[in-house]
Amino acid sequence: MTRHNPWKQRIKEFFSSWLVSPAELRSYGVLGMNARNIRYIAHYNDRTRYPVVDDKFKTKLAARKANIPVPELLATMDSQAGRKALLHTIEQCEKFVIKPARGSGGKGILVINGRDGDLYVKPSGVRVTTEDVLRHASNILSGLYSLGGKPDRVLVEAMIDFDPALADYSFEGVPDIRIIVFRGFPVMAMLRCSTHASDGKANLHQGAVGVGVDLASGRAIHAVRHGYRVDRHPDTEMPFDKLVVPDWSRVIRLAASCYEMTGLGYLGCDIVLDRKRGPLLLEANARPGLAIQIANGGGLRGRLKMIESLEPEQFEKNVEERVRYSQLIF
Amino acid sequence: MSPRAQVYILALILAVLGAGLTIYKSSVLGFPLMPGAYRTVWTIEAKVEFLAEGGPAKVALALPRAQRNMRVLDETFSSAGYGFNIRHDGDDYRAVWSRREVEGRQSLFYKLQTYQVAGEPLTQPLDFSTDVRKPFMGSREQEAVGQAINSIIERARVASSDIETFTSQILVQLNDSGDQDRNMVMSHYQDSSLADVALYVLSVAEVPAHRIRGLYLEDDRRRLQAEELLEVYDGSEWIAFEPRSGSPGVPANFFIWQRGGKSLLDVEGGNRSSVTFSVIANDVPARTVAKKMTSREKDALVDFSIYSLPIEQQSIFKLILLVPVGALVVVFLRVIVGLRTSGTFMPVLLAIAFIETQLVTGLAIFLLVVALGLWVRFYLSRLNLLLVARITAVVVTVVILMGAISVISYKLGIEQALMVTFFPMIILAWTIERMSILWEEDGPDEVLIQGAGSLIVAVLAYWLMTNRYIEHWTFNFPELLLVLLGAVLVLGNYTGYRFSELLRFRQLVR
Ligand SMILES: Nc1ncnc2c1ncn2[C@@H]1O[C@H](COP(=O)(O)OP(=O)(O)O)[C@@H](O)[C@H]1O
Ligand SMILES: [Mg+2]
């Protein structure tokens, strides 16, 4: 026998319009932050392997050894003494990107994609002076953007000349593809398209659009921005349902091969598509975010569990076989 | 065993251990679980310091006499390497420490536990001498001062009817900084205390008087100097006066240490001697007080507890023991609720500052300093400074702001704002720096979210840390920290959803 309680009902309605119940989230297989940290990151990621991914300079060195293509490194600077060399490098190039080796979440990344006399032009059209660029570099050096404020290294990378197939879906910046790789198996993918608001960077919390991508075909399934579903790119107005990531099989293979390179069981790979060189590894991440679930309109939990339940000999497979397996089941 | 199982077992062991000790202490040793019928027991510690000259040294410290409205529970002396005894001569009790050969800085302690009962503080009659030695004031340089004193006495005599009102009048005049005569007298006796001058004036007026030394009992006081009262004989009995207000009677929370004019401390064979006092209040149940009065034996568990520390450290520990509570709040709000804060444990430091400043003042000061600091920081960001230099500049700015806030609010009569010094400057500076970067990188929204998050955590932590029960438990049962540790371990193993994720992922389910 249930007694009807209008107040209880009303309170329930109020909360359910804002919140979902944990049971519902579980039924969708959504992975929460705590579970990610304890069950996957702490369990599958060996701490000693972290520096390889936390430091983009080390990532580049490791990638070179593993024959994984990366964006070209133009210069690095690890002390104020390197100012001259840095100045010399940037004066030579039209387009370049300055980033902290140990930054995250798009912090401290300065994208320059043109010149206007002595001035440098950012993707959003804002012009900055040489002084500004050097100051930015010295901020990076002193650890402003690194975890815990540790002194850092400045990387100057060549600007990626991205594949024109994606040009309609990205405004003023380079789209990148995030793929979660679990024990060598790609489990979920998302394309991140920069917008005017994200200033040439494809980091979601800065306002970029996240597009869930089907692992088998590279086709877009679902797009979100700031946690809400969108159908079109907010700046270019292009509908996402026609989007197919070019060269998809190479992209996903590149991601899977990062497992051998980093030795991390739970890994997020950021990949960009260069017009001439094809897919390049931009960075790898030992603590990839959970927004990819929103972009895909589905949870990670089920997929991760599926991989966990595989027979031990399945983990001996090579990159090719792992990718094929993932494409088959997800 | 899987790490998960280990965590639960460890947490269980810790919880059982902590709870067990707590139960033992409360049921066997009589520590009260609830802050209930309490009696405030004051622990007063006198610390004698001096620089020994290398030869024999002898230190005599006047001891408080039993008072009618104060009961002494316990007295202890520390005398590392010293011979010790108590001498009394009439009304005068003195602790005497002596040693054949001693050199360098010396510290000696005398500790007293006392509690107040109802009643008048002073017993009558007293057989103090009522002789007055009228001072000689004939010399040339004293002429003007003498005249001023006489004029004060004359005016007081006109405006009074008996010795009591006369003394009040004298004290009122001596506190009136607009009075010419008073200023003359005070500037002549610059090195003397108000009580000294008043005694001098009273002796000129041939009123028998002496001084009372003692302390105002207030919780958590360190390095206090002895305060003075006056006592005046009106022909039939002695009347005490508070020299600054001029009102008769012993102030309610005044603990009388020494009555009569003798010295408080004598040191032979040493110099630069001083005696300072610390006072701390403990709320002890009436039952325990009664127990202690009858049996003064101690239990090992109590003897090795925080109670055995010098009280200066005890009062610091009172605060330190609350820090884990604040940290637990941080862990809870991070793991279960998913609140974003700027700097993980910054809110706990804020909460500690709030305890000293009171919540509203603390919040106001914090917001003011951070807002002004952010404003300065935005200007600094245009100056092309290196990070360390910029943070230092922000620290200096914060210090200047704190100084300015203190001075301005003091002038405006808001004395609480003086507490601004309790805010950790470096933390404030880092907070400002972090928030301004957040502003530049992620926009003002994120600054508001994280700032509000930090304040919510700080206020919640403050609220718990000042809760009467929690204060009582952390201080009386520090073993409960083990239970808290167990709780933290379990929280650290929670893999369920955070409250904020119920909000974040709602679009996904729809
Ligand atoms: N070499 C580059 N050329 C063009 N855009 C870049 C380049 N490097 C980074 N970006 C942009 O900045 C974003 C963040 O870069 P990333 O290296 O992933 O740093 P973070 O660890 O901060 O996310 C990328 O998604 C991309 O849009
Ligand atoms: Mg990235």
Side-chain angles (χ1 to χ4, degrees):
Chain A
M1 192 191 77
T2 53
R3 207 165 2 116
H4 188 67
N5 184 338
W7 267 108
K8 220 170 165 182
Q9 192 69 29
R10 217 170 288 169
I11 290 173
K12 228 174 167 179
E13 263 166 31
F14 173 78
F15 275 110
S16 59
S17 69
W18 279 96
L19 305 170
V20 284
S21 73
E24 219 172 334
L25 279 189
R26 213 168 302 126
S27 75
Y28 272 77
V30 173
L31 181 67
M33 199 60 115
N34 294 327
R36 180 202 75 171
N37 290 345
I38 295 176
R39 293 234 166 93
Y40 298 101
I41 294 184
H43 197 199
Y44 290 105
N45 287 354
D46 180 2
R47 281 227 152 254
T48 60
R49 311 289 309 168
Y50 275 24
V52 182
V53 291
D54 282 350
D55 186 328
K56 294 190 171 83
F57 186 61
K58 290 192 178 138
T59 315
K60 279 203 188 322
L61 297 182
R64 190 181 300 162
K65 234 190 249 161
N67 269 326
I68 291 175
V70 291
E72 188 190 348
L73 185 65
L74 299 176
T76 71
M77 161 175 162
D78 55 9
S79 70
Q80 293 290 348
R83 275 171 77 100
K84 266 244 171 68
L86 184 81
L87 205 65
H88 187 74
T89 314
I90 62 174
E91 272 171 350
Q92 311 278 307
C93 358
E94 231 341 80
K95 301 174 170 193
F96 58 90
V97 174
I98 293 190
K99 57 167 89 170
R102 308 228 294 253
S104 66
K107 284 213 178 78
I109 297 188
L110 178 66
V111 182
I112 300 292
N113 68 350
R115 294 290 280 270
D116 176 8
D118 275 349
L119 298 177
Y120 297 84
V121 186
K122 296 210 282 182
S124 56
V126 175
R127 283 152 173 72
V128 293
T129 62
T130 317
E131 269 305 301
D132 289 330
V133 176
L134 283 178
R135 172 158 49 101
H136 186 78
S138 94
N139 277 346
I140 292 176
L141 277 185
S142 48
L144 190 52
Y145 306 104
S146 74
L147 222 76
K150 274 185 256 156
D152 205 354
R153 180 196 289 268
V154 180
L155 304 183
V156 184
E157 249 175 26
M159 175 84 179
I160 287 159
D161 183 14
F162 69 97
D163 198 302
L166 293 176
D168 289 339
Y169 294 99
S170 194
F171 192 71
E172 298 174 347
V174 178
D176 72 1
I177 299 155
R178 157 68 58 89
I179 301 182
I180 304 277
V181 179
F182 182 50
R183 307 185 73 183
F185 292 87
V187 287
M188 206 176 253
M190 144 173 94
L191 173 72
R192 297 182 298 188
C193 306
S194 50
T195 60
H196 179 67
S198 69
D199 195 16
K201 290 168 281 185
N203 292 80
L204 290 188
H205 65 270
Q206 292 175 333
V209 182
V211 186
V213 176
D214 178 39
L215 280 186
S217 60
R219 211 172 278 283
I221 15 185
H222 199 99
V224 289
R225 175 158 187 252
H226 282 312
Y228 288 94
R229 202 171 170 154
V230 290
D231 295 328
R232 292 162 185 277
H233 190 282
D235 304 314
T236 66
E237 298 284 332
M238 281 297 282
F240 284 114
D241 47 9
K242 299 213 177 60
L243 174 73
V244 183
V245 178
D247 231 355
W248 179 245
S249 61
R250 276 175 69 197
V251 171
I252 192 168
R253 242 177 293 143
L254 177 75
S257 63
C258 288
Y259 171 59
E260 272 85 8
M261 176 192 112
T262 60
L264 292 170
Y266 187 76
L267 179 71
C269 301
D270 287 0
I271 294 167
V272 282
L273 282 171
D274 191 83
R275 187 199 296 260
K276 293 192 204 82
R277 300 178 58 204
L280 307 177
L281 178 69
L282 191 57
E283 65 156 344
N285 218 309
R287 310 169 200 79
L290 298 171
I292 194 168
Q293 302 180 101
I294 306 178
N296 274 274
L300 266 169
R301 199 60 187 283
R303 298 187 178 191
L304 295 175
K305 282 222 171 111
M306 228 137 112
I307 300 292
E308 273 182 317
S309 65
L310 290 180
E311 302 293 325
E313 71 264 16
Q314 300 275 25
F315 295 109
E316 320 262 278
K317 284 179 168 173
N318 65 23
V319 174
E320 206 67 49
E321 292 165 326
R322 291 197 309 252
V323 168
R324 215 170 312 127
Y325 184 79
S326 283
Q327 289 186 325
L328 197 70
I329 60 171
F330 299 133
Chain B
M1 212 187 323
S2 78
R4 241 180 132 70
Q6 279 179 44
V7 164
Y8 286 123
I9 289 175
L10 191 60
L12 190 72
I13 293 175
L14 287 171
V16 168
L17 202 66
L21 277 171
T22 306
I23 292 169
Y24 172 75
K25 258 173 90 173
S26 81
S27 61
V28 180
L29 301 181
F31 280 75
L33 265 182
M34 293 293 153
Y38 269 82
R39 176 150 273 165
T40 304
V41 170
W42 300 93
T43 306
I44 307 171
E45 189 178 76
K47 182 180 185 184
V48 175
E49 285 173 299
F50 66 99
L51 200 59
E53 283 156 356
K58 185 165 140 194
V59 177
L61 173 71
L63 295 183
R65 298 151 23 88
Q67 293 159 37
R68 280 224 322 223
N69 67 344
M70 288 274 179
R71 294 274 151 75
V72 173
L73 268 181
D74 194 14
E75 273 180 300
T76 39
F77 302 88
S78 84
S79 52
Y82 280 79
F84 174 76
N85 67 331
I86 294 183
R87 270 188 217 148
H88 75 111
D89 158 28
D91 265 330
D92 191 37
Y93 279 80
R94 263 160 205 272
V96 180
W97 287 272
S98 51
R99 192 166 169 176
R100 173 72 56 196
E101 233 173 75
V102 58
E103 191 165 9
R105 270 254 140 253
Q106 301 292 310
S107 308
L108 299 168
F109 293 92
Y110 164 67
K111 191 156 92 178
L112 166 85
Q113 285 190 321
T114 176
Y115 66 96
Q116 269 175 312
V117 294
E120 282 296 306
L122 298 175
T123 34
Q124 305 278 352
L126 268 183
D127 47 357
F128 276 121
S129 130
T130 54
D131 295 345
V132 182
R133 265 233 239 98
K134 195 170 167 172
F136 170 75
M137 287 199 308
S139 73
R140 161 91 38 85
E141 71 270 24
Q142 279 180 335
E143 210 170 307
V145 182
Q147 264 173 19
I149 290 178
N150 282 327
S151 133
I152 290 177
I153 291 172
E154 215 32 65
R155 271 187 285 150
R157 200 157 268 152
V158 170
S160 63
S161 57
D162 53 11
I163 297 286
E164 182 178 333
T165 47
F166 173 73
T167 312
S168 280
Q169 282 304 316
I170 297 261
L171 292 174
V172 167
Q173 287 189 47
L174 287 181
N175 280 296
D176 176 10
S177 56
D179 188 310
Q180 293 295 321
D181 293 327
R182 175 262 180 197
N183 290 348
M184 170 111 210
V185 176
M186 285 314 237
S187 64
H188 186 77
Y189 297 109
Q190 261 171 7
D191 299 331
S192 312
S193 70
L194 178 61
D196 285 332
V197 177
L199 282 173
Y200 190 78
V201 173
L202 285 169
S203 68
V204 174
E206 294 187 65
V207 175
H210 61 246
R211 102 179 66 229
I212 295 177
R213 285 199 185 89
L215 300 166
Y216 287 95
L217 295 183
E218 280 167 78
D219 195 9
D220 261 1
R221 291 299 149 117
R222 281 168 230 153
R223 307 204 68 85
L224 291 175
Q225 302 287 334
E227 305 274 346
E228 292 172 321
L229 301 184
L230 295 177
E231 207 167 17
V232 174
Y233 191 64
D234 75 348
S236 59
E237 59 178 8
W238 291 91
I239 308 168
F241 283 89
E242 203 289 303
R244 246 166 293 273
S245 67
S247 52
V250 178
N253 62 342
F254 192 82
F255 177 81
I256 296 173
W257 194 275
Q258 189 193 30
R259 213 168 157 192
K262 300 215 183 69
S263 64
L264 183 60
L265 173 71
D266 303 311
V267 175
E268 289 168 28
N271 53 41
R272 289 210 264 147
S273 61
S274 69
V275 53
T276 52
F277 300 88
S278 320
V279 178
I280 190 174
N282 285 314
D283 286 338
V284 179
R287 200 164 53 108
T288 314
V289 174
K291 233 183 185 169
K292 217 167 173 187
M293 278 306 275
T294 47
S295 73
R296 285 192 173 176
E297 66 191 33
K298 284 188 190 159
D299 205 282
L301 200 58
V302 181
D303 220 25
F304 283 97
S305 74
I306 290 165
Y307 288 115
S308 61
L309 293 175
I311 59 168
E312 211 169 319
Q313 272 71 18
Q314 273 190 36
S315 71
I316 294 171
F317 254 98
K318 242 182 180 171
L319 203 61
I320 289 182
L321 286 171
L322 285 169
V323 173
V325 177
L328 182 68
V329 172
V330 169
V331 174
F332 180 84
L333 290 181
R334 174 67 64 95
V335 171
I336 307 283
V337 179
L339 220 54
R340 265 178 286 168
T341 62
S342 105
T344 313
F345 285 105
M346 186 276 270
V348 182
L349 296 173
L350 263 189
I352 293 174
F354 287 165
I355 291 180
E356 308 280 352
T357 58
Q358 299 306 314
L359 187 59
V360 179
T361 337
L363 276 174
I365 295 174
F366 175 75
L367 290 177
L368 194 65
V369 173
V370 171
L372 291 174
L374 272 177
W375 184 58
V376 172
R377 165 64 178 75
F378 277 123
Y379 175 67
L380 285 178
S381 81
R382 286 197 276 159
L383 294 186
N384 265 347
L385 298 179
L386 294 177
L387 179 69
V388 203
R390 194 170 55 218
I391 303 236
T392 311
V394 176
V395 170
V396 175
T397 315
V398 166
V399 171
I400 294 173
L401 283 177
M402 283 169 44
I405 289 176
S406 304
V407 172
I408 293 172
S409 56
Y410 182 72
K411 297 276 179 213
L412 293 177
I414 317 169
E415 291 205 16
Q416 276 155 314
L418 288 177
M419 300 288 193
V420 67
T421 44
F422 285 107
F423 279 97
M425 300 169 287
I426 306 286
I427 299 292
L428 275 180
W430 263 110
T431 305
I432 290 168
E433 179 68 22
R434 240 197 255 115
M435 292 211 161
S436 82
I437 293 169
L438 212 58
W439 193 306
E440 283 166 8
E441 293 275 329
D442 297 330
D445 297 355
E446 192 62 24
V447 173
L448 278 185
I449 290 175
Q450 294 200 6
S454 308
L455 281 184
I456 290 173
V457 178
V459 170
L460 256 173
Y462 162 82
W463 180 71
L464 278 180
M465 286 159 86
T466 50
N467 181 286
R468 197 160 73 99
Y469 290 90
I470 289 179
E471 240 176 311
H472 173 79
W473 289 327
T474 51
F475 191 61
N476 289 289
F477 303 100
E479 48 280 349
L480 283 175
L481 283 184
L482 296 177
V483 181
L484 191 146
L485 185 57
V488 169
L489 293 185
V490 172
L491 275 179
N493 222 342
Y494 170 75
T495 54
Y497 297 113
R498 296 176 179 180
F499 182 77
S500 62
E501 287 172 344
L502 302 184
L503 196 83
R504 179 182 179 193
F505 290 121
R506 71 178 192 282
Q507 286 297 316
L508 194 159
V509 173
R510 236 117 283 152

